[in-house]
Amino acid sequence: MNPPRPPILVLGLDGATFDVIDPLVRDGRLPNLARWMQEGCARPLCSTTPPMSFPAWTTFMTGSEPGEHGVFDFTQKAKGAYRVDFVNGSHRRVPTLFGRAKAAGLRVLAVGVPATYPPEAVDGLLVAGFDAPVSTGTDERSASDPLLYREVAEAVGPWKRPDLDEAARDGGFYERAADTLLA
């Protein structure tokens, strides 16, 4: 019998760079991230071409380049029409590490990964990223297991909070956003 596998945590910070993270860590504003970086491994990664969230996260999830997985942008031209459609997880042409983990009998907890809506079936819980249809919060429609999502949300609250209006650009927005995200 094989020994149990230790859990693996991958924390991806979309658009974050170490020139922003490192000073916050040094100032003591990110104590948990500082501990994880010290105890684990933190390295910059090259992005994809094009360097955008949906193709980059899909490359992370699949190990494939955009030409293979088929996600190049947030939108794509609609076939036979003069309009664009928003891209989501259904546009991916290759399996993800989440699906491969399930096939290997491993449990998954993935929260907020872009380009994962509709959420695929996993052994565990996958909560879609900002491509889910609920833009001001998250509910069970964004989760691979709606009942488990409700149970977790009742215990600890939803992962995506409506207390930050990402569309606001009034005076003080960036300061409020930083304070909200750090809280």
Side-chain angles (χ1 to χ4, degrees), residues 15-26:
T17 61
F18 284 105
D19 60 330
V20 173
I21 293 170
D22 287 340
L24 292 169
V25 166
R26 280 194 302 275

Side-chain angles (χ1 to χ4, degrees), residues 57-147:
W57 282 102
T58 303
T59 293
F60 159 77
M61 288 185 283
T62 63
S64 302
E65 293 291 329
E68 187 176 349
H69 61 60
V71 176
F72 296 93
D73 199 344
F74 293 97
T75 61
Q76 67 181 25
K77 185 184 176 308
K79 290 182 182 181
Y82 189 69
R83 71 177 203 303
V84 294
D85 290 329
F86 287 100
V87 172
N88 63 37
S90 69
H91 294 93
R92 211 176 27 247
R93 296 190 301 234
V94 296
T96 68
L97 65 94
F98 310 124
R100 290 177 185 194
K102 179 183 179 189
L106 302 173
R107 292 182 53 84
V108 170
L109 173 60
V111 179
V113 180
T116 56
Y117 186 85
E120 64 187 284
V122 297
D123 182 9
L125 184 63
L126 187 151
V127 182
F130 64 86
D131 51 321
V134 183
S135 63
T136 59
T138 299
D139 64 23
E140 64 271 4
R141 292 174 291 172
S142 303
S144 61
D145 183 335
L147 295 174

Side-chain angles (χ1 to χ4, degrees), residues 11 13 18 21-22 24-25 29-39 42:
L11 175 65
L13 302 173
F18 284 105
I21 293 170
D22 287 340
L24 292 169
V25 166
R29 295 190 70 189
L30 301 172
N32 291 325
L33 185 58
R35 183 173 45 84
W36 291 343
M37 289 170 63
Q38 183 177 14
E39 294 174 5

